[in-house]
Amino acid sequence: MNLPTLLNVAIGLVFIYLTLSLFVSALEEFLAGLLKARAKNLRDGIINLLEGRGAEGEMMGKLYHHPLIRSLSQGRIKNKLQQILPSPSYIPSDVFSTALLEVLKREYNIDFDYSDNIQSFVDKLEQHKQAETSPRKRYLINNIAALARQAESRLTTTELKVRHLHQEISKWFDQSMERASGSYKRQAKLWAFILGLGVSVIFNADTFYMIHRLSSDQELRIAVNALTTRLIEEQNCRDVSCFEQLSLDEMLSLPIGWSSFPPPNVQVKEQKQTVWDNNVPDNNTRTQEQSSGSFGKFSRQVWAWFRMMLGWVVTALALAMGAPFWFDVLNKFINVRNVGRKPPRIDLEE
């Protein structure tokens, strides 16, 4: 296989990955919205932030009922206390900081003003900490007091005001949400792989078979590359809306799908037997050859099914990379094949 053919096979394969990964992404977004995955991840992150791991979310429930946060919600979720709460999927850090300080003032009767000195605010927190019996509330008071001292260490003596604690809480929230976002992305990768595996089975998207078809069928390779060029290069296609232009015939031309059973991936051809020295084998020899041929065909069939299932797994791993990744890869391949895109045509006629 020469280099141009290899490059065209890669472009066709990446185009199929892109098409299927867009389908997986749409399915993943639908399930995430249906299950309120982002709202629940944010809820768990705030519980860990305010009360520590394993908490029931009592303080989080009070925070979620603050008008600033309740206005961001579009649905309802529950905490471990089975309380019905608003379900925002995103909270700005300044909104969180403002709401938390007001909830602390209401829940702990801490009489402070944004013009107060930070040290006096810390003293009030220490008094409430000594009187508090709940370990979860003491955990939160410790965190807020630590943030107040951190704000105090960063400011000059003329700027020691509680309003600077607002900024520290915002930074604290942003850092915690970055960790929660990383955890959500890891879970999303796992779900993308599971959905990708399901899509691979449903569409019979076997990577090894696709490579074989694209490398051995020149007409198919030309058709898929022409389709790729039309959608990605000529029309500057960058999102799923471009694929709505594909007709059913164009989709059926891709080397995927269950056109027959067993599929072409696992169809095993009969191997020709060689006749030695024009001698007619006796009955025992003929029986051994038939037995050996049946076993060989069965073993080849088992290996073909195993290879197809392995091809599904490889496809699922590729789809888990996501559509943006395959968009970038496909554009790079097309640029390499064309050795840079052609400049726009300039009409010199007036």
Side-chain angles (χ1 to χ4, degrees), residues 36 74 82 216 300-301 314 326:
K36 294 183 174 63
Q74 297 180 350
Q82 298 302 310
S216 60
R300 293 194 302 273
Q301 196 80 30
V314 174
W326 293 116

Side-chain angles (χ1 to χ4, degrees), residues 93-159:
S93 59
D94 57 338
V95 171
F96 173 84
S97 179
T98 301
L100 179 60
L101 286 175
E102 292 182 4
V103 169
L104 285 174
K105 185 175 181 179
R106 183 178 69 242
E107 291 296 322
Y108 297 104
N109 297 319
I110 303 176
D111 186 16
F112 69 88
D113 188 82
Y114 283 113
S115 60
D116 285 347
N117 186 280
I118 285 184
Q119 186 58 48
S120 63
F121 177 69
V122 172
D123 293 338
K124 293 176 182 178
L125 287 176
E126 290 295 337
Q127 294 175 3
H128 283 274
K129 176 184 174 182
Q130 294 175 2
E132 185 59 58
T133 59
S134 172
R136 298 298 181 185
K137 291 184 179 180
R138 290 171 64 91
Y139 175 86
L140 177 59
I141 291 175
N142 277 332
N143 285 336
I144 299 299
L147 291 174
R149 294 189 186 96
Q150 183 173 323
E152 184 179 15
S153 67
R154 294 181 179 180
L155 300 172
T156 63
T157 55
T158 60
E159 295 178 326

